[in-house]
Amino acid sequence: MADSGTTSGPELLVVLSHRAGTPLRGQLESALRGAVRDGRLASGQRLPASRVLAADLGVSRRLVVDVYDQLTAEGYLTARAGSGTWVSDLAVAADSAPDADDRTELPSPRWDLRPGVPSLAHFPRQQWRRAWLSALSGACDADLGYPQAAGHARLREAIAAYLNRVRGVAATPSTTLICAGFTQGLDLLCRTLRAGGARTVALEDPGLPHRAPIIRRAGLTPLPVPVDADGLVVEALPERGVDAVLTTPAHQFPTGAVLAPHRREALLAWAGRAGALVLEDDYDGEFRFDRRAIGALQGLAPNAVVHLGSTSKTLAPALRLGWLVGPPPLVDRLVEGKFLSDHGAATLDQLALTEMIGSGAYDRHIRQTRARYRAQREALEAAVLRHQVPLRLTGVPAGVQTLAALADGHDPEDLVRRAATAGIALDAVTRYQLAPGRPARSLVIGYGNITPHGIDGAMAALARVMDRGPTARSAAPHAESRARRRGERRPRAGRVRDSVRVEGAV
């Protein structure tokens, strides 16, 4: 890690024991980790430069650099180019969550592999700052009044042009609504559909767990529909009684499936017969690694599909900026709901995003982010092979997480609990299943908000957990693992591939 070259930073009281047999690196890691957890090092606080802390403690600068690197990989610290090392917001948030029971709460994870989180450390702070200041200086007096409920005209124009160019959406400014992320967009849609007489919304199973509660809260009934390697199983949709279906055709969460061409055609045909609306969540639409991303479903049937997207993965969830594109009569009713909900999104943030898109900074950031996530996905594949973790990565290479099928005999929920005690945070796919049935033996592994070094450490630790744990019903997998470590020959399975089918995984 590059040192800032400055001597600025807080005074930091760390006492190290130089007794033989007590590694100094471990002492310093534990001291800094504990200081972050208990709040003595506050969120956003800058740490001393590595040479300064090394001089204060009487240790080598390399030791301090290694400790900073390790805690950065774990998420406790973040390195800002040319600006030094700082306490991460993420690390503090995990320990200070409201309503936590201190008696049962596990320590903050050393390796955070929970899915759905982008690389928060790589938010383009400088570009956003320039865009925001430019938006502020260029805003007219009218821009500082109450915002337009549909979104600022300039951002709607910029988003429509971007979606047409990059995602193949048939969008115009008048059919585009700016909302506070995907969640508000779905809530507005459900409430508007319910007011128009809708009763049932189908959605993918497994899927993100907060969607069914949003549907219920609007007074609608969620209907789980299964997913296989080709995406949403359209033939499982009833011909009558369903008013809308929510789907993620670009990259299904959590299976990683892409809606196959024949399924896309069948879904639109079903919507026409049933008189239903398709709600397209463009989840991870920009982050396909092995080829150009599949165009949006909405471009094929603008009057039957509502397209939803946001900056939560492309920039950061904290911005709360999203959009939806739909048929004009529906968008008019959604604008009324948006007005009654919050009177419109923050104008200066909208104008800052407009500046980023117009300057090309948004496109450049997405290209850089796509390359970063691709490298992290490849690091995960390599670490699984290197440490002989009994997992099979499935789904297309895209986004910030992947489904990982477990070998027979492993219980995913038990494994998640035991991994947590070893400092590894990840999810079992059962967390995302809606309908009761045979639990799937899969994990959902996020790689967006962790470094390649951290991924390697996490897989090494997970291999140890799986090798010694009680989840295996048979000793065979462990005997095989031990044989590999001894160098015994065995039939070698093919290398884990990016586009492994997911039958049997969910």
Side-chain angles (χ1 to χ4, degrees):
M1 178 183 301
D3 184 33
S4 66
T6 71
T7 59
S8 61
E11 292 293 328
L12 191 60
L13 178 60
V14 178
V15 179
L16 300 181
S17 169
H18 290 261
R19 296 191 303 271
T22 307
L24 295 177
R25 173 174 171 170
Q27 292 183 49
L28 183 55
E29 282 185 14
S30 297
L32 293 179
R33 196 181 290 117
V36 172
R37 287 176 177 171
D38 62 23
R40 284 178 288 133
L41 284 175
S43 170
Q45 188 170 359
R46 184 177 180 179
L47 294 185
S50 56
R51 64 165 59 91
V52 174
L53 185 57
D56 288 346
L57 298 177
V59 298
S60 71
R61 183 187 175 198
R62 171 48 56 186
L63 185 146
V64 175
V65 168
D66 288 345
V67 168
Y68 279 4
D69 281 344
Q70 178 63 34
L71 295 184
T72 298
E74 294 176 14
Y76 289 95
L77 307 180
T78 182
R80 302 179 187 174
S83 185
T85 305
W86 304 68
V87 178
S88 166
D89 293 336
L90 183 65
V92 176
D95 276 338
S96 58
D99 302 322
D101 185 349
D102 292 336
R103 294 170 298 176
T104 59
E105 185 180 10
L106 289 171
S108 295
R110 180 174 184 179
W111 297 286
D112 194 344
L113 298 174
R114 285 171 290 194
V117 183
S119 179
L120 304 179
H122 289 95
F123 175 75
R125 297 171 186 265
Q126 294 182 358
Q127 294 92 326
W128 182 258
R129 180 176 181 273
R130 283 196 296 267
W132 201 92
L133 290 175
S134 177
L136 177 63
S137 62
C140 64
D141 293 346
D143 289 331
L144 302 179
Y146 286 105
Q148 302 170 48
H152 198 284
R154 285 172 52 197
L155 179 57
R156 285 187 283 125
E157 182 178 359
I159 290 293
Y162 173 80
L163 294 176
N164 290 338
R165 170 172 54 87
V166 174
R167 301 296 300 123
V169 175
T172 66
S174 63
T175 61
T176 303
L177 168 67
I178 305 302
C179 51
F182 168 84
T183 298
Q184 188 188 46
L186 178 60
D187 183 62
L188 287 172
L189 275 165
C190 289
R191 291 176 182 274
T192 302
L193 292 174
R194 181 65 180 86
R199 294 292 181 270
T200 302
V201 174
L203 72 167
E204 297 166 337
D205 183 17
L208 287 166
H210 68 284
R211 296 177 180 183
I214 292 173
I215 294 169
R216 290 192 191 97
R217 186 171 178 265
L220 298 165
T221 300
L223 176 67
V225 178
V227 175
D228 65 16
D230 289 332
L232 179 75
V233 181
V234 178
E235 52 266 35
L237 287 167
E239 287 294 321
R240 296 182 180 178
V242 174
D243 302 285
V245 57
L246 175 60
T247 182
T248 50
H251 188 228
Q252 204 276 334
F253 180 97
T255 68
V258 173
L259 192 63
H262 70 279
R263 289 275 177 84
R264 292 160 72 94
E265 182 179 349
L267 179 59
L268 295 179
W270 169 87
R273 293 192 308 271
L277 198 63
V278 177
L279 312 181
E280 176 186 30
D281 176 10
D282 198 32
Y283 191 86
D284 285 342
E286 289 94 344
F287 297 132
R288 183 77 182 262
F289 309 142
D290 60 337
R291 51 162 293 165
R292 287 182 60 86
I294 300 297
L297 191 65
Q298 188 268 356
L300 296 175
N303 291 324
V305 180
V306 178
H307 179 89
L308 298 102
S310 78
T311 61
S312 293
K313 299 294 187 296
T314 57
L315 290 174
L319 293 183
R320 308 317 303 146
L321 281 172
W323 48 83
L324 59 82
V325 179
L330 177 61
V331 170
D332 290 342
R333 287 186 285 148
L334 291 168
V335 171
E336 294 177 11
K338 173 68 173 172
F339 175 83
L340 295 174
S341 174
D342 61 8
H343 211 311
T347 298
L348 290 178
D349 288 345
Q350 293 186 62
L351 293 176
L353 180 57
T354 305
E355 292 282 341
M356 281 199 71
I357 294 173
S359 69
Y362 188 71
D363 286 75
R364 288 192 294 274
H365 173 71
I366 287 178
R367 287 195 296 270
Q368 294 165 1
T369 303
R370 186 185 298 120
R372 181 177 303 112
Y373 292 155
R374 177 175 184 169
Q376 288 166 204
R377 163 88 184 211
E378 291 173 349
L380 177 61
E381 293 174 356
V384 167
L385 291 173
R386 179 182 305 112
H387 300 292
Q388 302 174 347
V389 189
L391 297 174
R392 178 171 57 87
L393 306 187
T394 68
V396 300
V400 294
Q401 69 277 315
T402 184
L403 197 71
L406 289 164
D408 289 345
H410 285 279
D411 176 75
E413 293 182 353
D414 177 65
L415 179 56
V416 166
R417 286 190 292 269
R418 293 190 298 111
T421 65
I424 311 165
L426 39 71
D427 281 344
V429 75
T430 48
R431 177 172 180 242
Y432 303 103
Q433 291 181 291
L434 299 174
R438 183 175 63 87
R441 288 194 300 270
S442 297
L443 302 175
V444 188
I445 300 178
Y447 50 79
N449 197 36
I450 185 171
T451 65
H453 175 75
I455 290 170
D456 188 75
M459 289 301 101
L462 185 60
R464 292 192 294 270
V465 169
M466 296 179 73
D467 191 48
R468 67 171 179 260
T471 53
R473 298 172 189 162
S474 165
H478 302 292
E480 183 182 31
S481 177
R482 288 191 294 272
R484 285 197 297 267
R485 288 195 295 271
R486 290 196 302 267
E488 297 175 11
R489 297 179 64 86
R490 64 177 181 86
R492 183 182 178 115
R495 183 184 184 275
V496 175
R497 296 189 180 276
D498 288 332
S499 55
V500 179
R501 293 177 67 82
V502 297
E503 288 90 345
V506 295

